[in-house]
Structure formats: structure tokens, C-alpha cells
Amino acid sequence: MMVSAPAIEELYNPTGVIQRLYEHYEGSDDGFAAVVASHFSAILFNADDRVRELPSLDIHHPPEAYTNGTLVSFRAMIQDTSLSPELYVAGLSNHRCGGWGLSTSDSSEASDSVGYQDLQELTAMWAVSVPAESPWHVGEASPLVSSFPAHVPLRPHKYPIPDASHIGVQIKMYDNQSAQLLKPTDIVTFVGILSSESVCAEFSSPSEVPVLHVICHRSITESLPDIKEPRSVRRELICWISEHVLGGDDLAVEWLLLQLSSKVHTRSMAFLPPSITLSRFPPPRRLNILPTLSYALSELLQKFTPVSLSLELLNTKSFTPESREEDLHSGYLQLPAGTTILLTESALREGNVTEKGLMNIRAIQEIMTSQTLQYTFPFSRFTFETDISAIVLVEGRKSTFFQEDQTSLNIPLQSTVDSNLYRSKEEVAWPSPGKLAIFRSYIKACKAATGKVKVSEATSKYIQEDFVRRRQEDKTTTPDDLIHLMRAARLLAASYLQEEVTIEVWEKMKELEAARKSRAASLNIGT
């Protein structure tokens, strides 16, 4: 591994650099952590992105693969910010720094020589490997080659996806002001000194957990891809999904693409991402068989997870985070922004839904309608904002559990060849690696474009006059129909990578909506 010369000491002797900074620091102890963060950030998070030269912490390079004191990077999702703050000795004798694990490593420091003025508070939280991240995207973020034995997660209940391989680490942040800006489900790259410590009273067994003493961090930001000929790429993507994934149903793919292009860019109900129900979706020939759509989405989207709904799952598992014995347990829906979740109902059988099951159904519904998720604590509940797209596959006319409203769409599937709806991953005719990369970049660009789409004054006037004429011709038309069409038209414009809803886009959106409603009416399905 080639290491840039100016960064050698920061990478291989971070504690020495911290001590040198401390010796030259003349401010108060509570401001020193920000100085350290600024110094290391300038070196590691610069234009050269030297943080990539650091050893990474991931399932292929777990904590036990490194010795204590190693400087590592950890690309993670924050799972729990409710851990109690901790006190540490900020200044040791002989003007030595005590933060970043240095005070605990120096057992010779006499406890009676530490005064109150030497103590500072740090912020503790729990972070995990980014859940629902597609394997291809994980591979881009860090190398997958490792000869180390498979890692066994120490606190699996703090990860949203049961039985999934992941890393869980206790994060200690000394820059408290920056730490206060972080919240659950944020994706962050942490850089810190790795160690292990005995757990505090909030935790049960095991007695020790990996700890990362954070020196600096960066919230994840991604560059926007440049897509040449977006309309051509859009058409190719629709054709591929239609032919190889959804049985030749171009209309369903058109609506699916709008959903894949969506993200939360404002909390107004009129602009929240729509959930999509693909009704009349044939069941698999055997239980526990994923539809081809699941494999396709995992190859196209950066963050995606399928959930096969069953009464056992709904009645026994947690979909929302819940604090038990002062330890926040995760749930299926504690997912980072930008995640798409595929809910299938083919495993549902007759039976009763328990109170826990009803709470889980309600939680999924809240994600669909308001993009919020409740976290339950012993004496309170807190609501956190989400950005999760939901796709529901149902065999009948509508979902068994989820209500349809202005934030949801029902598209009956009309496939020509049902057999290809459940092809295995190996049976799918995948695009070339280069074409697949273009499709991924295109969807990423669509999501970024969603929040930039505007409506000019002239187009707005055209749409209003058009809608008035429509209401005069069809008395069943309501203002909610206009809200739905406007939201969908913005997504359609974004799928063309346009920054404006044009009259052409509006007319195309009306055609798609008319086709959807006509199909639903022919099958006696509500719209």
C-alpha cells in the first residue's frame, strides 16, 4: 500500500501527533478535540481522499484482525445515540494528553492526582456496518479479500437485519459539538484508534466490545454521475427490466422506475416518495423463493433489502427500535436514508395477528405514508424521520395489510411469461458489467435530480387550466388527483434527468396514469 509522505505520521503514529498538537495547544481542554479533528480531517479527507490508505473495519477485516492502537476507518450507520456520556481524564501529568484512550492505557497515572478540572465528557454511541447495502456497492467501498475467519457479531440485536454478517462497534467521540449533529441511521466514515473495553452497565454479556476512539469523521457524500443520453439509458433500462424481470410489462416498469427515482427532499405530504403495490403478482411455486425483481434491485440499487412477510415474522420480530434494559434493540425498519425495501406477501397464511404484529404493520404503514419511524424507550417514544421506499408484491387485488392513499400506487401486473418472475440469480440474463454500471449511475442521478425539479409559471398555468377542464369532464376528479399527478410528473422529469416539468412531461404523465387506471378498472382494482 502506497502512503503519501505527509500523512505517514498521522497514519502510523496518531497518538504521537495528538500529543504534539496538545503540547502546542493553548486553549481550554473542551476545545482541543475540535483541533484534533480539524488537523486529521485536513489530511485524510482532502481531495486525494487519503482516508482510503487506512486499514478498513468491515466484515472482511473485523476488529480482531487488528491490534489495539491501530488507526482504522469504519464506514458505518449510527444505530444508537442513547448511550450515557462518559468522563475521561483530558490532561495527565507532565502536560500529556489523556483523550483517545491514552488515559486508560496509562495505568501509572495516580487517581488521586486527577482533579475535577482535568475531567472532560465524551459522547458514546453504537455504530454498525451499513445495513441493506448491496454487495456490489460494499465492494466499491472497501476490498473484499480477506483470509481472516468469519466474524461473529457481539451484539446482533443491535443490527436491523437478523442473522446478517456485520460489524458492531462502540463509538467514542471527543468532539462533542460535532457528535450532537449525528443522529440514528446517519451513514458516517469514522477514523479512530481501535481498542476493546469492558462494557458499561447498560450492556449485558459479552464482557468486552470493540471501541473506536474517533479522531475525525465525515458524513457520507457522493459525487453525481454524468449520464450521457439519459433518455436512451432510460429506455434501455425499462426494456431490460420488462423483458428479463417483470414478464414484458412495460407499464409496470415505467411506474417502478418512477418509484426508484424518488427520495425525500421535502417533508410535505405532496412530495413524499410514493409506495408501489404490484398487484396480481403470481406466487412462487415453492415458499421462500425470491422473485427475480429482488435480484434485479439488489444489482441496481446501492441499498436494498427484501422482507418476506409472514404472520410468524410480524407477530414475533421487531420492525421498530425498542430500548430494553437500557439497550436499544434494532428493528427491520431502522435503515439508512435511500434504502428500498421489497415486501412480499406470498408467505402469508390464515391466522391471527397479535398486538405486536399490528404494531409492526402500523410501523410499515407510517413509513409509507409519512416517512417516520417511532423509537420506543421505557417512558417515552421519539419519532425519527426516514427516507425508505417501499415496494409491495401481492397476489390479489390489493395488499392484505397496507392501506392505499395518496402516497401509494397500485399497478396490476400483466406479464406475458409468468415463469420468468422467479428466475434464480444465475438464470437472469444480466447486462454487461459496463451497462450495469451505467444503469446504477443513472438511477443514482435520477434520485439526485428529484429535489431539483421545478415547474415554470407557464407550465403551471397550463396544468391548472388542463385540470379545470378535466374536472368539468369528470366530476369524480378531486384535488388529490392533481397532487398525485404533480408528484408523479416531477419524478417523470427526474427520470429524464430534466430540472423542469415541461408540457411534454405532463402529457406523458397523464398517459401513464390513464393506462394505469384503465388496467386497474378492467380488473376491478381501486386506484
Side-chain angles (χ1 to χ4, degrees), residues 82-86 124 126 155 170 172 197-209 211 325-327:
S82 67
L83 306 186
S84 298
E86 298 180 16
W126 190 265
R155 307 193 63 74
Q170 188 178 56
K172 293 192 176 184
E197 297 179 9
S198 297
V199 295
C200 52
E202 293 154 305
F203 297 132
S204 56
S205 60
S207 60
E208 287 199 349
V209 295
V211 173
E325 299 180 355
E326 300 185 344
D327 185 10

Side-chain angles (χ1 to χ4, degrees), residues 13-20 22 32 69 88-90 92 96-109 174 193 195 197 213:
N13 186 24
T15 55
V17 174
I18 293 173
Q19 178 58 37
R20 189 181 71 243
Y22 188 73
F32 180 62
Y88 70 98
V89 182
L92 305 175
R96 289 175 297 133
C97 179
W100 296 273
L102 297 176
S103 61
T104 56
S105 63
D106 191 352
S107 58
S108 63
E109 186 72 38
Y174 296 80
I193 299 171
S195 70
E197 297 179 9
H213 299 272

